[in-house]
């Protein structure tokens, strides 16, 4: 059974392993719906966030939560892109990653004040913070500035 000490010790390798393996999977399966630059940007975003957050000693599982949330954001973008016929440079994904970075910062600040040291709480805080920042950024950008397909545009 993995306790908090082991998770703290192996959080960085697990997070980097998730990031590397999913990037390789996306690069090997690159197509029109998931071009190689999407996997590259997601990879560099995840690695940068993981390394910068490591400096501030986040709670157990926080880094793995960031990695899983980045994978989920990339999969969401791929599904949205495959369900519509959009052509363009993919500014929507870059705006979403900026929102995800803001979500990571907010989650890191919250986790420093969180007194609960359960194993799953750091993972949940990292994952929810990153995904909420990504989704909020996408909803605002795709309803006000851009058309990003049926998943994020509500026709407002």
């Amino acid at each position: 059974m993995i306790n908090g000490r082991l998770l703290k010790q192996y959080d960085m390798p697990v997070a980097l392993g998730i990031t590397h393996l999913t990037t390789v999977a996306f690069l090997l399966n690159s197509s029109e719906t998931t071009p190689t630059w999407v996997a590259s940007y997601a990879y560099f975003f995840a690695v940068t966030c993981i390394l910068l957050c490591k400096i501030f000693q986040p709670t157990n599982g926080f880094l793995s939560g960031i990695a899983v949330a980045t994978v989920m954001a990339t999969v969401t973008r791929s599904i949205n892109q495959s369900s519509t016929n959009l052509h363009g440079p993919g500014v929507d994904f870059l705006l979403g990653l900026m929102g995800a970075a803001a979500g990571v910062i907010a989650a890191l600040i919250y986790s420093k004040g969180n007194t609960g040291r359960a194993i799953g709480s750091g993972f949940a805080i990292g994952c929810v913070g990153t995904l909420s920042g990504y989704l909020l950024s996408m909803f605002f950008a795709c309803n006000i500035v851009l058309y990003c397909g049926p998943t994020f545009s509500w026709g407002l």
Side-chain angles (χ1 to χ4, degrees):
M1 183 163 149
I2 297 177
N3 58 18
R5 184 175 177 192
L6 285 176
L7 186 61
K8 185 72 171 177
Q9 181 181 359
Y10 295 116
D11 191 26
M12 181 79 158
V14 167
L16 290 176
I18 291 170
T19 303
H20 284 82
L21 289 175
T22 54
T23 301
V24 168
F26 278 120
L27 288 176
L28 290 176
N29 192 23
S30 64
S31 64
E32 189 175 313
T33 58
T34 310
T36 56
W37 64 265
V38 170
S40 307
Y41 284 165
Y43 171 76
F44 288 119
F45 168 77
V47 169
T48 304
C49 284
I50 288 168
L51 293 178
L52 289 178
C53 287
K54 184 68 175 164
I55 296 169
F56 297 105
Q57 298 297 321
T59 57
N60 303 337
F62 188 83
L63 303 176
S64 298
I66 292 172
V68 169
T70 304
V71 170
M72 292 169 63
T74 308
V75 168
T76 303
R77 199 259 183 209
S78 299
I79 291 170
N80 184 42
Q81 187 70 17
S82 67
S83 66
T84 186
N85 192 9
L86 292 177
H87 300 287
V91 177
D92 57 339
F93 189 62
L94 296 177
L95 291 173
L97 289 181
M98 285 187 234
V104 167
I105 292 169
L108 185 62
I109 292 170
Y110 175 77
S111 72
K112 294 307 277 184
N114 187 16
T115 58
R117 296 291 179 196
I119 293 173
S121 71
F123 178 82
I125 292 170
C127 194
V128 168
T130 306
L131 276 179
S132 63
Y134 174 78
L135 292 175
L136 282 173
S137 175
M138 289 296 283
F139 282 131
F140 283 125
C142 293
N143 284 309
I144 296 172
V145 181
L146 305 166
Y147 176 72
C148 304
T151 305
F152 295 108
S153 296
W154 290 350
L156 299 177

